[in-house]
Amino acid sequence: CELLAYTLGFRWFLRRRARRGDVLSDTTRLWVLLGAATGGLVGTRALGLLSAPLPADPLQLSYALLTSKSIVGGLLGGWVGVELAKLALGERRSTGDALVLPLCLAIAIGRVGCFLSGVTDGTHGLPSDLPWAMDLGDGVPRHPTALYEIGAVGLGGLGLARLEGRLPEGLLFRVFMAAYLTFRLLIDMLKPGLALWGGWTAIQLCCGAGLGVLGALELRRRWA
């Protein structure tokens, strides 16, 4: 599912970029993609490792180092990587709007894999007695948080598709980021996690920081 998410999301992005037109030069595009890939990789691994206690067993620790990932970390790290690459190149045009709908698709497909993994990948929900609570493999009825997220990004993608072309350049991506970070800030209250500060996990803290940056950028845009 992860491979399918990357493949279909990237192929759809390429088609959308070709249809919308690409204002970047080949060199700028290469560095922007490199910044996104590097930042996304660092972000997803770092936040994934901060989101759960590291096992003491060397074999389990090695497995955790290789497999721990976070969508929030990947999004924030990729965003930072792109902005740093554009800053170094002096590029001021927005490059994120064409990514919004492919990201919604990729996240939904990835969460199908999380759902099928049950409780093994740490994205499962807390125990619940709600009528739709599900046994995810450990005999305990839980919030199907992966299904919640699939529904949220599906509905959000439909709403963002209606906004596309009606917003100033770059604003669609910021709306997507704000909506997704807000959703994760709330939905992660229904997941087990390692609290770092004030009862918030590393993912929730990063969501809050990301929302603060987005708010500052929106204020600067309105005052410009």
Side-chain angles (χ1 to χ4, degrees):
C1 285
E2 186 175 354
L3 179 60
L4 188 64
Y6 289 144
T7 302
L8 294 183
F10 187 62
R11 292 300 302 173
W12 193 16
F13 162 70
L14 292 178
R15 291 186 61 181
R16 285 169 54 80
R17 189 188 67 183
R19 187 172 67 248
R20 294 160 61 101
D22 192 351
V23 298
L24 302 180
S25 67
D26 290 341
T27 301
T28 299
R29 186 188 313 114
L30 176 63
W31 282 107
V32 166
L33 289 175
L34 182 61
T38 303
L41 179 62
V42 172
T44 190
R45 294 296 188 192
L47 192 51
L49 290 171
L50 288 172
S51 300
L54 292 178
D57 180 75
L59 184 60
Q60 293 181 348
L61 177 60
S62 300
Y63 180 76
L65 292 174
L66 290 172
T67 61
S68 295
K69 298 182 291 292
S70 165
I71 292 176
V72 170
L75 288 174
L76 292 176
W79 183 25
V80 170
V82 167
E83 293 304 320
L84 289 176
K86 288 165 57 178
L87 181 63
L89 295 167
E91 176 61 52
R92 301 183 63 86
R93 294 290 300 272
S94 175
T95 56
D97 286 353
L99 276 169
V100 168
L101 297 184
L103 281 172
C104 290
L105 175 65
I107 291 171
I109 295 173
R111 286 307 186 199
V112 172
C114 293
F115 176 70
L116 296 177
S117 297
V119 297
T120 61
D121 70 348
T123 61
H124 56 283
L126 293 171
S128 171
D129 57 2
L130 292 171
W132 56 83
M134 302 178 68
D135 176 4
L136 300 176
D138 61 350
V140 178
R142 297 178 178 276
H143 285 284
T145 50
L147 298 185
Y148 296 167
E149 189 160 339
I150 292 169
V153 295
L155 292 174
L158 292 175
L160 290 166
R162 294 180 64 87
L163 290 175
E164 193 170 24
R166 303 181 181 182
L167 300 177
E169 184 182 66
L171 190 54
L172 187 72
F173 177 75
R174 293 181 186 178
V175 170
F176 160 75
M177 287 291 291
Y180 185 73
L181 294 178
T182 300
F183 170 79
R184 287 299 305 271
L185 186 66
L186 298 175
I187 199 68
D188 276 42
M189 295 177 182
L190 301 180
K191 298 180 184 180
L194 177 64
L196 294 184
W197 181 78
W200 282 20
T201 65
I203 290 177
Q204 289 175 303
L205 290 170
C206 286
C207 287
L211 288 170
V213 172
L214 287 166
L217 291 174
E218 178 61 15
L219 288 175
R220 188 180 72 173
R221 184 186 72 84
R222 290 177 179 271
W223 290 344

